[in-house]
Amino acid sequence: MKIFKTTLILLITFIFLSCTSSEECRENKDVLMQMGFYTKTLNTKTGLYVNTALAIDSLWVNGLGVDSFLFEKKKSIKSIDVPLKKLSTQTDFIVRFNQKTDTISVFYQNNDRYFISLECGCVIAHTIDEVTSTNHFIDSISVINRDIIPTDAEHIQIYHF
Amino acid sequence: MLVCCVLPLNAQTKDTKTDSIPKVWYNGIRAEIDVAPIVSTFLSNSETFSYEGGVQADILHKYYPVVEIGFAGADRTTSTDIRFKTNGLFGRVGLDFNLMKPKAGAKPSNNVFLAGARIGFSSFNYSMTNIVITDDYWNERTILNYPNEAVIKVWFEVVAGMRVEVIKNIYMGWTIRNKHTLGQSMAGEMNPWYIPGFGKNLTGSNWGVNYSIGYKF
């Protein structure tokens, strides 16, 4: 009889263990490309130029072909997160830095097998191939992290000298 | 050469002195089925099922090598309407040790308290469908479907349990298992929600309980 009691206790414990799983999607599903703004400043002690973050006084960003703005008249901003098209391999942004406007084109590959969890499913992640732009305000762009996944990381750096 | 021949002989004479009952190497094989799924399938709202059986040999009333085979599956639709479906065969091999010390001179008991380990294995297919992807800014919408993902999963179990001979040659008992998947999955890598023989695969570890009825040949 003792065995049966032990078994009963174990089975009840098991019931509670298996019932506590009311799962929801709680993970971050946003796949955003982060671009940071930088300038070069002269270090007077060493005589070398160093990269420093640049705060843009006012910034407008919209996607090419989309009327609504992602960022509108954003004040003193050092970096922005923007969504890339999930069903295409090129996304163009029109970015107005103060008074000057540039177009930034991002070329990439999509990965539609980036798994998060059963509740959240998969997201479409990207791998950057190339980033090009016009050069009214922007002097150069460097890609520092090609993989765009649902984590907070800087992907491209935009330089204005 | 002479030393080699003498040593085993010495050991043998010692053995016969201490044990009044001669040691039998092989003490039969127990075949059993797990009856816990009758309850557990009902408890999971029929989302998951798992049926299994096994054979376990008794070596010297001390070592219990075991082979377990089963069939399990899952069919779950999440609150986000994603559907996961799988079923497949699984197998486990392992060894248990009898933790009950036989009383000196007494006949070894058929009731045993066992602890041991298993290596589990399942090669199966699963589907994950109706994953809706939307983007409000670019006005995009698509549905991702993975209808046939083939995977092989291996896991390790630490087990403990007991078996009691209720009627002659009929055994009942339970086994509790703590399971851990082997191999680290990378961030973003596809991972099945359920693994046959392992159960729900949410954190890489899981618990399991079997309630067995068996016959000893």
Side-chain angles (χ1 to χ4, degrees), chain B residues 112-129:
Chain B
V112 289
F113 189 79
L114 301 168
R118 307 276 184 279
I119 287 285
F121 170 91
S122 183
S123 173
F124 63 102
N125 287 40
Y126 69 91
S127 69
M128 198 162 54
T129 50

Side-chain angles (χ1 to χ4, degrees), chain A residues 7 63 68 86 112-113 115 119, chain B residues 76 80 137 146 149 188 211:
Chain A
T7 311
S68 64
K86 292 170 170 65
D112 66 1
R113 294 177 63 85
F115 177 74
E119 310 300 318
Chain B
R76 174 181 158 81
T80 45
Y137 186 75
Y146 309 97
E149 299 290 313
Y211 195 92

Side-chain angles (χ1 to χ4, degrees), chain A residues 3-4 7 10 15 21 23 62-63 66 68 70 83 85-87 91 112-115 118-119 121-122, chain B residues 43 76 78 80 82 84 128 131 133 135 137-138 140 146 149 164 174 176 188-191 193 200 211:
Chain A
I3 299 145
F4 288 101
T7 311
L10 275 170
I15 293 162
S21 56
E23 295 125 29
N62 69 298
V66 182
S68 64
L70 282 160
K85 287 180 187 172
K86 292 170 170 65
L87 306 177
T91 302
D112 66 1
R113 294 177 63 85
Y114 194 92
F115 177 74
L118 178 62
E119 310 300 318
C122 291
Chain B
L43 287 173
R76 174 181 158 81
T78 67
T80 45
I82 297 167
F84 174 89
M128 198 162 54
I131 302 168
I133 303 271
D135 188 305
Y137 186 75
W138 295 108
E140 291 176 310
Y146 309 97
E149 299 290 313
V164 175
W174 51 263
I176 187 157
E189 197 181 310
M190 295 281 269
N191 212 356
W193 177 75
K200 284 183 194 173
Y211 195 92

Side-chain angles (χ1 to χ4, degrees), chain B residues 162-176:
Chain B
M162 62 196 298
R163 294 292 181 274
V164 175
E165 190 173 25
V166 283
I167 314 165
K168 189 167 169 57
N169 290 334
I170 305 286
Y171 284 75
M172 284 175 88
W174 51 263
T175 306
I176 187 157

Side-chain angles (χ1 to χ4, degrees), chain B residues 135-208:
Chain B
D135 188 305
D136 293 338
Y137 186 75
W138 295 108
N139 198 21
E140 291 176 310
R141 186 179 190 276
T142 188
I143 295 171
L144 300 178
N145 290 306
Y146 309 97
N148 197 18
E149 299 290 313
V151 279
I152 295 169
K153 290 281 178 184
V154 181
W155 67 94
F156 176 78
E157 296 181 1
V158 178
V159 306
M162 62 196 298
R163 294 292 181 274
V164 175
E165 190 173 25
V166 283
I167 314 165
K168 189 167 169 57
N169 290 334
I170 305 286
Y171 284 75
M172 284 175 88
W174 51 263
T175 306
I176 187 157
R177 301 160 186 273
N178 184 226
K179 315 174 187 192
H180 299 271
T181 47
L182 295 175
Q184 204 77 43
S185 63
M186 305 264 287
E189 197 181 310
M190 295 281 269
N191 212 356
W193 177 75
Y194 186 91
I195 301 168
F198 180 82
K200 284 183 194 173
N201 175 31
L202 300 174
T203 55
S205 71
N206 204 353
W207 289 90

